Amino acid sequence: MKQVTDQLQRPIRDLRISVIDQCNFRCSYCMPAEVFGEDYRFLPFNELLSYDEIVRLAEIFAELGTEKIRITGGEPLMRRNLDELIARLKRIEGINDVAVTTNAVFLTKQAEKLKAAGLDRVNVSLDAIEDDVFKRINGRHVKTLPVLKGIEAARKAGLPIKINMVVKKGMNEDQILPMARYFKQTGDTLRFIEFMDVGNHNGWNMDTVVSKKEIIDRINEEMPLEAADANYFGEVASRYRYKDGSGEIGIISSVTDAFCGSCTRVRLSADGKLYTCLFASAGHDIKRLIRNNYSDHQLLLELVKIWTGRKDRYSEERNKTGKQREKIEMSYIGG
Ligand code: SAM
Ligand code: SF4
Ligand code: SF4
């Protein structure tokens, strides 16, 4: 099949699949406990895409040029038998990279199994290294130790690891240096993510963003950095190496330095809606088509129609016009 591109000539390279909307954490900027409380109604099991449905869609995306898959959530390791899904995704022709984004707590039990299933790498989200700050952020009073143990388990299993830290003013900017020091010494790449205006409940405004420049300046002052080249076209993080040769950091600057021009990502929510942008207000209901007995060919034509019509570039537009709109939640679409 010929490579499909959207209205801005961007191919579909990366498929992000949310496998569950539930999570063991209540991070204040993602699933605040006041909103996602006891009586919050998560998706019932039969509304989630089954593994058969996910694999079928992934095969069609691979035909359209997709090479990478990232499994996310909610907390993806809360979906039963995730290793089975990973093994099946790894067998798809054309898919050469399958990764998981996780808060790492369940990696202690699952890392070996996931590696054995063929998982290529993990991204671990950790927003602070000091317990007091971390406990406040994750909304469940969890200390950093279970996360650090999860990271250790992934390392032992032989999984490459990157650490992602969302930086939000007033929440954890005092953790930039302690986190950089800690992961410089372990040798894991730490990537700082500018706090984004995804979802409708996290109280985002421009004043809460700690910019890429500010983050680099702070680290550079203590641990000198130099810019490094991107590893591949469309890499979301800008890379910086420590001048003393002890590894690197990354910055994902979706707010102050948007990268929509090279955005080759498509997102599938846990209940089978397809989003062509992280900031979309509505998705395309693919589960309905699957459950209405669409053939593979009909599904493929539908996906081609959606992608070829795509002209999303929300972050670039936000920077020009300051425009805001109603959006889906990050825990639903998975980042
Ligand atoms: N639970 C898993 C985890 O935390 O890694 C996977 C899902 S989580 C929604 C994926 C990533 O999105 C996490 O790294 C999280 O920090 C990030 N995230 C959530 N809300 C965000 C926001 N408003 N701005 C930037 N990143 C955000
Ligand atoms: Fe859960 Fe991840 Fe959202 Fe935190 S960022 S609440 S761990 S889904
Ligand atoms: Fe891609 Fe939308 Fe983010 Fe731009 S704003 S990089 S189009 S997901």
Side-chain angles (χ1 to χ4, degrees), residues 23 25-27 29-31 73-75 103 331:
C23 187
F25 280 3
R26 287 293 177 274
C27 300
Y29 58 83
C30 177
M31 293 178 78
E75 176 43 50
N103 62 38
S331 56

Side-chain angles (χ1 to χ4, degrees), residues 83-249:
D83 56 318
E84 270 174 30
L85 175 66
I86 285 163
R88 290 177 67 183
L89 294 174
K90 279 293 289 182
R91 286 199 288 271
I92 298 174
E93 202 184 315
I95 300 298
N96 54 34
D97 189 71
V98 177
V100 166
T101 300
T102 173
N103 62 38
V105 170
F106 301 117
L107 272 179
T108 325
K109 285 214 168 113
Q110 298 187 28
E112 289 282 351
K113 215 165 51 171
L114 296 174
K115 171 71 181 168
L119 184 67
D120 290 292
R121 55 210 170 82
V122 285
N123 283 2
V124 169
S125 307
L126 177 65
D127 300 328
I129 198 71
E130 282 163 26
D131 280 335
D132 286 349
V133 186
F134 187 58
K135 277 158 76 177
R136 215 177 315 127
I137 297 174
N138 68 52
R140 287 286 194 245
H141 304 288
V142 179
K143 293 185 176 180
T144 55
L145 189 63
V147 178
L148 299 177
K149 279 187 170 165
I151 294 172
E152 208 34 57
R155 197 186 326 282
K156 272 207 187 111
L159 287 163
I161 306 156
K162 282 191 181 128
I163 314 295
N164 288 338
M165 169 183 178
V166 173
V167 186
K168 180 182 174 191
K169 210 163 270 179
M171 176 177 91
N172 64 344
E173 78 264 44
D174 62 341
Q175 295 294 298
I176 295 173
L177 281 172
M179 284 282 285
R181 286 180 203 124
Y182 184 89
F183 288 105
K184 184 171 188 283
Q185 153 246 313
T186 63
D188 298 308
T189 299
L190 171 61
R191 304 191 310 175
F192 298 91
I193 306 179
E194 287 179 350
F195 179 43
M196 293 185 284
D197 48 334
V198 241
N200 307 292
H201 300 296
N202 59 18
W204 185 92
N205 64 57
M206 199 58 206
D207 297 341
T208 54
V209 177
V210 182
S211 71
K212 166 180 171 176
K213 181 173 180 326
E214 216 174 318
I215 296 169
I216 295 168
D217 287 351
R218 279 197 199 198
I219 299 175
N220 188 45
E221 208 169 290
E222 179 179 315
M223 296 167 269
L225 291 166
E226 60 192 4
D229 292 337
N231 283 317
Y232 52 88
F233 174 78
E235 187 172 33
V236 293
S238 343
R239 301 171 54 215
Y240 294 82
R241 260 191 303 265
Y242 288 115
K243 282 190 179 160
D244 67 4
S246 62
E248 65 179 70
I249 59 160

